[in-house]
Amino acid sequence: MIRTTRREVGSPLSESALALDPSRVKHSATDLAVSRRPRNARPRVLSGLFFSAVLLALNIWICWRLFSIDYTIHMGSLDGVYIAIARFIQAHGPQPGWYPYWRCGIPFEQVYQPIFHAIVAAFSSASGFTTARGYHWVVGAVYCLGPVSLFWLTARLTSNLPTGFVAALIYSLLSPSALLVPAIAGDLGGLYWGRRLHVALVYSDTPNLAALTLLPLVILLLDVARRRSEYWPLILAAFLTAAILLTNVPASIALGMAMAAYALAFATPRFWWQIGAVGLAGGLMAVGWFPPSMIRAVSANLSRYEPANRFTANHYAGFAAAAFLLPVLAILARKINIAEPARFAGFFLLFAGGVTLLNYWFDVTILAQPRRFQIAMEIPIAILLAIGGIGLWKRIQPVPVQSLKEFGWMRVALLAGGVLFLGFEIQSLRFFARKIIRPIDGTYLSEYRTAKWLEQNAPGQRVYAAGSTMFWMNAFADIPQVTGCCEQSIALPVTQMMRYTLGTDDEAGDRTFAVSLAWLQVLGANYVVVPGPQSTDVYKWDWKHPAKFDGRLREITREGGNIVYEVPQRSAVPAHLVLRNELISRYPINGLDVEPLARYNAAIQDAGRAAVFMENGADPRVYEFRVELAAHQLFSVQIPFHAGWRATVNGHAVPVAQDALGFVVVEPGTIGPARIRLTFADWPEQSACRAISGLTIAGLLVGLVIASVRRFR
């Protein structure tokens, strides 16, 4: 590694100058107090702004098509999921409480961290763009600003603008992950194409990219606080930390890795508590939108549906060993005189690269979804390559030069090679961008036409779909689904079991149709959508036997290649009157175990019971029903139970319980005409967390004002 040196910021007088001119000693204290920056600060800032403009222009030149597109050819991506969330925020605000369109309903904060989608919604509304166009504008901005934030961090750590510029160029134009992992290169289609752009378009990991754009700024602020011994940068870093926590989980973990790397590389033990305080303050601000119970639910879902994500004793032993070895490595790095910026990048690469490469190379899972850390891994690689490249450049001709001859042929060759490679990479990326940023007319898609038909002909009725249809349905229309996105967010886990069973029919034998029908009825589906031969659904293989409903369910339409069947239900309302012994009392062993559903299914199909009427309002947190109650009847609602539900019957509060499957159960305690109202509200844990967040934000804002006033004085 090349050791870099840092001059003391705010030290205009050297010891030698004071020795030569003793008369200046009496003025040195005053000079040091008022001269907080070097005299060339303004030119450096202007140069930094120039470099930033160049980087921004370069990345816009590469991806400019993103700013003029609604829908791309990548219908197998998660674009539809993020557009759907942003549409919902546009309609109901950033805290709607309950999301009724996926998995029979999910607490909104549990669906996905809200900040990225709130920005898309706000920008779309302010600009007048469609939500899809607004989404791609935000994606384009995130893609272009990522290298700029990395430039400022690297320039700050190395006290060298060219090093920061080189690191940002590498991050913009190269894909080190493709060089390290053949599987990534194969997926990308080449070694020299852009993995960041590929991940954004093909896999839609855009919230991760957005949060990684903020990550370098947090470390930059930590460095400002350490060097200047001031608190305002720590407060700003805490706010950015909260923003990252409320944007994406893998990026939040990557931020923890970067903060740990900074502590090991730069900070003394005295500064470690400040880094910890920044993380704690960011977490306290974020907890109001993502309380511990939701974190536990998401973690449980990740472990349930991907066994490799489960923590074992081996994981804890490995983390304990790392906690012991990392300080030893930090001390060793200092002893052998590795430059501090290189130490930071090395530790960051050890964390992010270890998680990613161990999974790709040896199929070892250290953290959940380890392959989503590949873009975070490229940040320290870019910094290390820039430090090494600039160090090599300086070593080739370390003395000042006065002529081209003194400049040196090696530098000329290196510069010429760099320019040629730069031109090659820019053209390669622009070609790659043209290849993958391609628009389509969404109105001709099966996903679009099916969603619009259901919206017009079956408004508010629950639908079962799979494949890309379920991902895109709510990007086009407001349709409640039994499926939808995403596995880690599910509040009714049985929906994932049911999806596997309906899609594969594994070991169902001659019970294939009967098992599928039982699940559809119990989970309140009024229609089921199956892709036909002409469907544009990307994931048709989600249905192993798509013809199993032919001749058994009534075919309603073939809209855009998708076949829509009607599921026989006594009522389109997802609420029914049942007796206590008809509730589902045992959780199914697997998807074929429909015996626990039989009594409940018979009850909800009983035409002799009073009909339930639902009044749909504009508020997604409220369900209102009218029904004639008889003695001993309970009210079963086919939505997931949660501590946030409150129920009233004719205006009087009644308890809310759940059956073994996870449905809401209300015991009315009365007979005769009844108006039953279910309202989703903050529960005690979330109310406490919101109070903590509010107090933390208020306290930090006051601290920021005080710090600003002191600095101004």
Side-chain angles (χ1 to χ4, degrees), residues 363-442:
D363 200 26
V364 173
T365 300
I366 298 177
L367 296 174
Q369 300 179 330
R371 299 190 177 191
R372 295 183 69 186
F373 292 90
Q374 58 186 262
I375 302 302
M377 175 184 71
E378 294 192 346
I379 292 175
I381 293 177
I383 296 174
L384 287 172
L385 290 176
I387 292 173
I390 294 296
L392 178 62
W393 174 268
K394 290 179 178 179
R395 286 204 170 192
I396 291 175
Q397 184 67 44
V399 297
V401 295
Q402 303 297 328
S403 65
L404 181 61
K405 182 178 180 181
E406 291 177 343
F407 191 74
W409 67 268
M410 290 187 66
R411 277 194 168 187
V412 171
L414 188 62
L415 184 62
V419 170
L420 289 174
F421 185 72
L422 184 67
F424 169 77
E425 272 300 311
I426 292 173
Q427 290 303 316
S428 295
L429 268 183
R430 294 187 72 237
F431 172 80
F432 182 64
R434 288 195 299 271
K435 178 181 177 182
I436 67 173
I437 307 176
R438 293 163 55 192
I440 57 171
D441 184 352

Side-chain angles (χ1 to χ4, degrees), residues 32-55:
L32 287 170
V34 299
S35 182
R36 303 286 300 193
R37 296 180 181 178
R39 292 179 180 178
N40 64 344
R42 179 168 294 181
R44 282 176 59 83
V45 170
L46 292 177
S47 299
L49 292 176
F50 171 75
F51 283 136
S52 299
V54 171
L55 290 168

Side-chain angles (χ1 to χ4, degrees), residues 119-149:
I119 291 173
V120 172
F123 177 77
S124 301
S125 297
S127 64
F129 292 150
T130 64
T131 311
R133 177 72 61 88
Y135 166 77
H136 284 106
W137 263 81
V138 174
V139 172
V142 164
Y143 176 81
C144 295
L145 290 173
V148 177
S149 67

Side-chain angles (χ1 to χ4, degrees), residues 225-288:
R226 180 182 63 86
R227 294 195 192 189
R228 295 189 180 182
S229 298
E230 293 181 323
Y231 288 104
W232 64 266
L234 296 175
I235 296 173
L236 293 180
F239 278 105
L240 287 180
T241 297
I244 292 173
L245 292 172
L246 291 174
T247 300
N248 182 260
V249 171
S252 299
I253 298 173
L255 174 61
M257 296 174 177
M259 294 172 79
Y262 184 85
L264 291 168
F266 283 94
T268 62
R270 183 179 177 183
F271 192 69
W272 289 351
W273 73 267
Q274 294 180 336
I275 297 176
V278 167
L280 177 62
L284 291 177
M285 283 190 280
V287 77

Side-chain angles (χ1 to χ4, degrees), residues 4-5 27 36 46 105 109 115 130 154 156 167 173 189 239 267 291 324 350 374 467 476 578 592 623 626 688 690:
T4 59
T5 60
H27 302 294
R36 303 286 300 193
L46 292 177
E109 282 87 348
I115 284 186
T130 64
T154 310
R156 173 78 193 185
L173 302 177
F239 278 105
F324 173 76
L350 177 65
Q374 58 186 262
F476 301 129
V578 298
L592 300 179
Y623 290 84
R626 290 181 294 107
R690 292 201 194 281

Side-chain angles (χ1 to χ4, degrees), residues 84 259 584 649 703:
M259 294 172 79
I584 299 173
V649 177

Side-chain angles (χ1 to χ4, degrees), residues 46-338:
L46 292 177
S47 299
L49 292 176
F50 171 75
F51 283 136
S52 299
V54 171
L55 290 168
L56 193 60
L58 172 63
N59 282 275
I60 291 175
W61 192 33
I62 291 169
C63 75
W64 62 268
R65 293 171 185 81
L66 277 175
F67 300 104
S68 61
I69 201 168
D70 282 323
Y71 304 106
T72 73
I73 59 173
H74 307 289
M75 292 299 291
S77 71
L78 292 179
D79 281 6
V81 169
Y82 300 144
I83 293 169
I85 298 173
R87 282 185 71 247
F88 191 72
I89 293 175
Q90 281 183 276
H92 302 287
Q95 287 187 355
W98 185 256
Y99 189 80
Y101 299 136
W102 293 340
R103 307 287 181 162
C104 302
I106 305 173
F108 181 74
E109 282 87 348
Q110 191 170 317
V111 172
Y112 209 104
Q113 287 85 349
I115 284 186
F116 177 82
H117 313 294
I119 291 173
V120 172
F123 177 77
S124 301
S125 297
S127 64
F129 292 150
T130 64
T131 311
R133 177 72 61 88
Y135 166 77
H136 284 106
W137 263 81
V138 174
V139 172
V142 164
Y143 176 81
C144 295
L145 290 173
V148 177
S149 67
L150 179 60
F151 158 72
W152 285 105
L153 171 63
T154 310
R156 173 78 193 185
L157 296 181
T158 61
S159 299
N160 187 271
L161 292 176
T163 304
F165 185 67
V166 171
L169 278 179
I170 292 170
Y171 191 58
S172 299
L173 302 177
L174 296 180
S175 298
S177 57
L179 296 172
L180 294 172
V181 182
I184 293 178
D187 183 38
L188 187 58
L191 292 175
Y192 306 106
W193 288 353
R195 187 59 168 177
R196 279 196 312 126
L197 191 62
H198 189 252
V199 165
L201 269 292
V202 177
Y203 296 111
S204 301
D205 202 9
T206 44
N208 189 15
L209 292 179
L212 290 177
T213 299
L214 299 178
L215 184 151
L217 301 181
V218 175
I219 306 303
L220 185 150
L221 287 167
L222 290 178
D223 195 69
V224 172
R226 180 182 63 86
R227 294 195 192 189
R228 295 189 180 182
S229 298
E230 293 181 323
Y231 288 104
W232 64 266
L234 296 175
I235 296 173
L236 293 180
F239 278 105
L240 287 180
T241 297
I244 292 173
L245 292 172
L246 291 174
T247 300
N248 182 260
V249 171
S252 299
I253 298 173
L255 174 61
M257 296 174 177
M259 294 172 79
Y262 184 85
L264 291 168
F266 283 94
T268 62
R270 183 179 177 183
F271 192 69
W272 289 351
W273 73 267
Q274 294 180 336
I275 297 176
V278 167
L280 177 62
L284 291 177
M285 283 190 280
V287 77
W289 288 266
F290 209 56
S293 62
M294 289 189 176
I295 296 174
R296 289 194 300 271
V298 170
S299 299
N301 285 334
L302 284 171
S303 298
R304 181 183 298 114
Y305 303 123
E306 185 58 53
N309 293 334
R310 297 172 186 167
F311 267 61
T312 65
N314 292 335
H315 286 87
Y316 292 111
F319 291 146
F324 173 76
L325 290 175
L326 286 172
V328 175
L329 289 176
I331 294 172
L332 181 62
R334 292 172 187 266
K335 291 291 185 182
I336 61 177
N337 212 25
I338 296 176

